[in-house]
């Protein structure tokens, strides 16, 4: 009875928190399609769904608590969990042999990561695998020419028999780098200069595997893991946590508030409060006290608390726009300005009244600024106010009536201006077209077209 009730219970939980038909959970064959969870969940490969020939691996169930040798993403955003000669794709399903995916590998490996090295396209996005004194590089499941190599010839100064490795792109680390772990030693390897720096990180050592997911860094120690900062080595509060609650689907395990997920989750269809795209191509969507990144589609979606990125911001925001490498958050009648860097830091003296900063009385509904422009468009009720950021003091230089009664959010990106109302958005080529066009353009479904939901 218990065994029977488990799959039912699981699919009930999935149906509830995904708000998607359960049949999509079975044998989904689209590796790009990612689910919505309060943890890094995703579909793996269709093969992961219990094939009869794999049934002899069932004694190797990961929910029993496995210390993985390596965890990495591949170039499609599929997560590989590797232990001895077993490999799991995605967060559920049984294992296969590692040599079914990486034909040239035999037996257990030490470490793996997905290279981020845009300056060297022949290495970028390759899965690098370490074992003993050698390194392999795979792309499209095919071994790259010249590999395997001695670790020392590819990464001079990095020791053999590693415990773990993880990529650290510039923007997260100061430059494109790889972090290597061996016992209590942590090495940061600069991919451009090949300079190796040993870190003194007492809280991050003895990692049995390491993993980067959506700019977050995790060190796994047995069945526990910690989140750490890739530059300072500081461990976040509330860790260590158990792998089985976050990185796999286990019966009666998990985390997060499912009711909350149903309301605020990616596919809930509830309106968003604000959107913005920054100069680095990061696209943010804000809803309640959570935010999502829309540009990380390949590796999945996840909503994080706003406070975790912008410390002083609690509760929902009304509007956000990006100008001159800074993010302007409007909440009620206050504006918060954050410098966009590896960390977001609140500019001194803020928050300040919106009226003082922008010459507009808050609250507002939406705001956007396009590319290199210095003109911000602020939507308030049925009107759009234009403020020139280069003027002092700032004031409304132009006002347009809008043909919308209410707008939830707006942003400007490579596709033009998007105006969000409920679970629909409209696209306009320019602020002028938004202000003057009498015809309502084709409505787009936010959930389906921007968030990868099924409907
Ligand atoms: C793949 O690995 C398994 C287990 O290590 C082994 O039994 C099998 O012979 C290997 N297959 C090939 C084609 O090497
Ligand atoms: C990937 O590899 C398969 C064979 O393993 C090949 O047919 C396919 O063309 C390759 N794709 C790319 C993009 O290289
Ligand atoms: C790391 O492992 C060493 C040797 O097993 C042990 O002495 C040390 O306490 C461990 N450190 C941490 C932070 O787990």
């Amino acid at each position: 009875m218990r065994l029977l009730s488990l799959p039912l219970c699981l699919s009930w939980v999935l149906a509830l928190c995904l708000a998607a038909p359960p049949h999509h959970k079975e044998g989904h064959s689209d590796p790009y399609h990612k689910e919505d969870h309060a943890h890094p969940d995703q579909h793996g490969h269709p093969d992961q769904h219990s094939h009869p020939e794999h049934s002899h691996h069932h004694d190797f169930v990961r929910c029993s608590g496995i210390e993985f040798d390596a965890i990495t993403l591949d170039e499609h955003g599929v997560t590989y969990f590797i232990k001895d000669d077993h490999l799991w794709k995605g967060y559920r399903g049984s294992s296969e042999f590692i040599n079914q995916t990486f034909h040239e590998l035999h037996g257990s490996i030490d470490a793996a990561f997905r290279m981020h090295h845009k300056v060297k396209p022949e290495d970028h996005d390759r899965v690098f695998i370490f074992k003993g004194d050698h390194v392999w590089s795979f792309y499209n499941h095919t071994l790259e020419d010249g590999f395997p190599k001695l670790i020392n010839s590819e990464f001079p100064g990095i020791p053999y028999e590693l415990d773990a490795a993880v990529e650290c792109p510039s923007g997260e680390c100061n430059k494109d780098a790889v972090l290597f772990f061996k016992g209590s030693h942590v090495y940061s390897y600069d991919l451009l200069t090949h300079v190796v720096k040993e870190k003194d990180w007492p809280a991050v050592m003895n990692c049995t595997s390491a993993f980067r997911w959506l700019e977050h860094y995790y060190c796994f120690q047995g069945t526990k893991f910690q989140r750490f900062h890739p530059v300072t080595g500081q461990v976040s509060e509330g860790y260590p946590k158990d792998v089985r609650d976050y990185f796999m689907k286990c019966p009666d395990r998990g985390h997060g508030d499912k009711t909350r997920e149903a309301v605020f989750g990616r596919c809930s269809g509830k309106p968003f409060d604000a959107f913005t795209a920054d100069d680095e191509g990061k696209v943010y969507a804000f809803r309640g006290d959570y935010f999502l990144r829309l540009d990380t589609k390949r590796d999945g979606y996840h909503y994080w608390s706003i406070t975790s990125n912008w410390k002083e911001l609690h509760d929902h925001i009304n509007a956000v726009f990006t100008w001159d490498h800074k993010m302007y958050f409007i909440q009620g009648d206050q504006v918060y300005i954050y410098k966009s860097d590896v960390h977001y830091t609140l500019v001194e003296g803020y928050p300040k009244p919106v009226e003082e900063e922008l010459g507009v009385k808050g609250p507002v509904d939406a705001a956007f600024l396009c590319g290199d422009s210095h003109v911000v468009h602020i939507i308030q009720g049925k009107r759009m106010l234009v403020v020139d950021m280069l003027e002092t003091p700032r004031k409304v230089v132009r006002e347009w009536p809008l043909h919308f009664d209410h707008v939830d959010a707006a942003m400007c990106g490579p596709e033009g201006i998007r105006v969000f109302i409920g679970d629909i958005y409209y696209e306009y080529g320019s602020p002028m077209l938004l202000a003057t066009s009498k015809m309502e353009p084709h409505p787009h479904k936010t959930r389906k077209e921007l968030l990868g939901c099924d409907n």
Side-chain angles (χ1 to χ4, degrees):
M1 195 54 220
R2 175 145 182 84
L3 273 178
L4 269 176
S5 70
L6 281 180
L8 277 177
C9 167
L10 262 181
S11 45
W12 177 78
V13 168
L14 286 172
L16 181 72
C17 61
L18 303 176
H23 66 267
H24 283 289
K25 304 300 142 227
E26 301 303 323
H28 203 296
S29 60
D30 177 5
Y32 295 92
H33 179 92
K34 298 300 175 342
E35 288 175 5
D36 175 38
H37 273 283
H39 58 93
D41 192 2
Q42 48 195 260
H43 281 287
H45 192 269
D47 286 349
Q48 74 188 39
H49 295 280
S50 3
H51 284 204
E53 66 266 32
H54 294 156
S55 55
H56 61 283
H57 300 320
H58 279 173
D59 56 333
F60 219 102
V61 174
R62 45 183 153 171
C63 290
S64 64
I66 291 175
E67 181 181 308
F68 293 107
D69 296 328
I71 303 171
T72 184
L73 289 160
D74 74 359
E75 68 274 16
H76 299 300
V78 175
T79 315
Y80 297 146
F81 295 88
I82 300 167
K83 171 70 179 176
D84 296 337
D85 53 3
H86 296 264
L87 180 149
W88 289 259
K89 288 175 177 168
Y91 283 66
R92 64 172 70 82
S94 51
S95 66
E96 47 185 80
F97 287 127
I98 192 170
N99 60 12
Q100 288 174 258
T101 300
F102 302 110
H103 304 298
E104 292 81 0
L105 291 179
H106 306 283
S108 64
I109 65 162
D110 297 331
F113 70 88
R114 182 179 70 189
M115 178 65 90
H116 182 99
H117 195 15
K118 291 217 164 136
V119 189
K120 214 174 157 195
E122 69 272 27
D123 279 353
H124 183 65
D125 264 353
R126 285 4 180 213
V127 175
F128 278 74
I129 293 185
F130 299 81
K131 176 182 170 149
D133 53 3
H134 277 84
V135 54
W136 283 251
S137 166
F138 289 93
Y139 192 64
N140 186 27
H141 299 180
T142 307
L143 186 64
E144 293 279 275
D145 284 346
F147 287 89
K149 284 181 188 174
L150 281 174
I151 293 176
N152 214 0
S153 67
E154 188 71 11
F155 302 100
I158 297 304
Y160 298 156
E161 286 162 7
L162 290 162
D163 290 335
V166 65
E167 75 280 12
C168 187
S170 77
E172 296 161 44
C173 277
N174 296 325
K175 295 190 194 135
D176 279 345
V178 181
L179 301 171
F180 292 98
F181 302 82
K182 181 169 175 155
S184 59
H185 300 277
V186 183
Y187 306 89
S188 163
Y189 182 89
D190 184 319
L191 287 167
L192 278 182
T193 61
H194 309 292
V195 169
V196 182
K197 279 199 189 119
E198 192 166 348
K199 304 276 190 179
D200 182 21
W201 287 355
V204 188
M205 54 166 70
N206 305 342
C207 303
T208 48
S209 51
F211 183 46
R212 167 180 173 261
W213 192 69
L214 303 186
E215 300 182 359
H216 290 64
Y217 290 78
Y218 301 99
C219 157
F220 294 76
Q221 297 160 323
T223 58
K224 298 266 189 270
F225 70 98
Q226 359 210 24
R227 192 182 139 193
F228 68 94
H229 191 283
V231 175
T232 63
Q234 265 177 337
V235 168
S236 305
E237 260 174 58
Y239 292 86
K241 293 181 176 173
D242 196 298
V243 178
R244 290 165 287 185
D245 292 326
Y246 292 81
F247 289 92
M248 59 193 74
K249 285 262 165 273
C250 293
D252 297 330
R253 299 200 72 128
H255 72 286
D257 177 343
K258 298 282 188 271
T259 320
R260 203 183 163 82
E261 278 174 45
V263 176
F264 288 106
R266 177 169 57 100
C267 297
S268 72
K270 293 278 186 296
F272 281 89
D273 299 321
F275 288 85
T276 195
D278 76 4
D279 305 311
E280 281 77 46
K282 297 179 181 178
V283 184
Y284 294 96
F286 298 88
R287 176 154 63 196
D289 41 14
Y290 287 103
F291 76 95
L292 284 168
R293 283 271 297 279
L294 300 188
D295 55 299
T296 55
K297 187 170 162 190
R298 174 174 74 161
D299 296 339
Y301 297 95
H302 187 74
Y303 49 100
W304 314 98
S305 76
I306 294 178
T307 307
S308 68
N309 254 30
W310 300 277
K311 198 157 51 91
E312 296 79 7
L313 283 179
H314 305 278
D315 211 353
H316 79 280
I317 57 163
N318 300 114
V320 61
F321 66 91
T322 306
W323 183 63
D324 190 25
H325 305 284
K326 293 187 197 75
M327 286 175 89
Y328 288 67
F329 289 89
I330 302 176
Q331 190 177 57
D333 58 3
Q334 300 286 306
V335 59
Y336 293 72
I337 306 180
Y338 283 87
K339 275 186 245 168
S340 319
D341 206 343
V342 176
H343 294 289
Y344 291 95
T345 45
L346 187 64
V347 174
E348 219 183 295
Y350 289 86
K352 271 187 191 169
V354 188
E355 194 170 5
E356 190 183 323
E357 183 69 28
L358 300 171
V360 173
K361 240 185 164 41
V364 308
D365 297 320
F368 65 90
L369 189 145
C370 295
D372 298 331
S373 165
H374 48 81
V375 171
V376 60
H377 293 79
I378 297 172
I379 299 175
Q380 194 170 48
K382 295 189 66 158
R383 55 188 196 146
M384 181 163 75
L385 310 170
V386 184
V387 174
D388 187 340
M389 297 299 283
L390 296 181
E391 274 193 24
T392 32
R394 299 205 181 104
K395 60 176 192 301
V396 176
V397 295
R398 174 126 213 204
E399 183 174 332
W400 297 94
L402 287 182
H403 64 277
F404 297 113
D405 287 332
H406 172 77
V407 160
D408 289 313
M411 69 171 283
C412 189
E415 296 82 10
I417 294 157
R418 286 174 170 163
V419 173
F420 298 84
I421 300 170
D423 59 354
I424 293 287
Y425 70 92
Y426 302 99
E427 283 182 347
Y428 295 91
S430 70
M432 187 67 134
L433 286 172
L434 164 60
T436 57
S437 78
K438 293 280 171 276
M439 286 219 310
E440 207 159 86
H442 168 71
H444 296 269
K445 276 189 157 180
T446 307
R447 233 182 325 176
K448 189 165 185 218
E449 296 181 46
L450 296 187
L451 295 157
C453 303
D454 289 332
N455 49 50

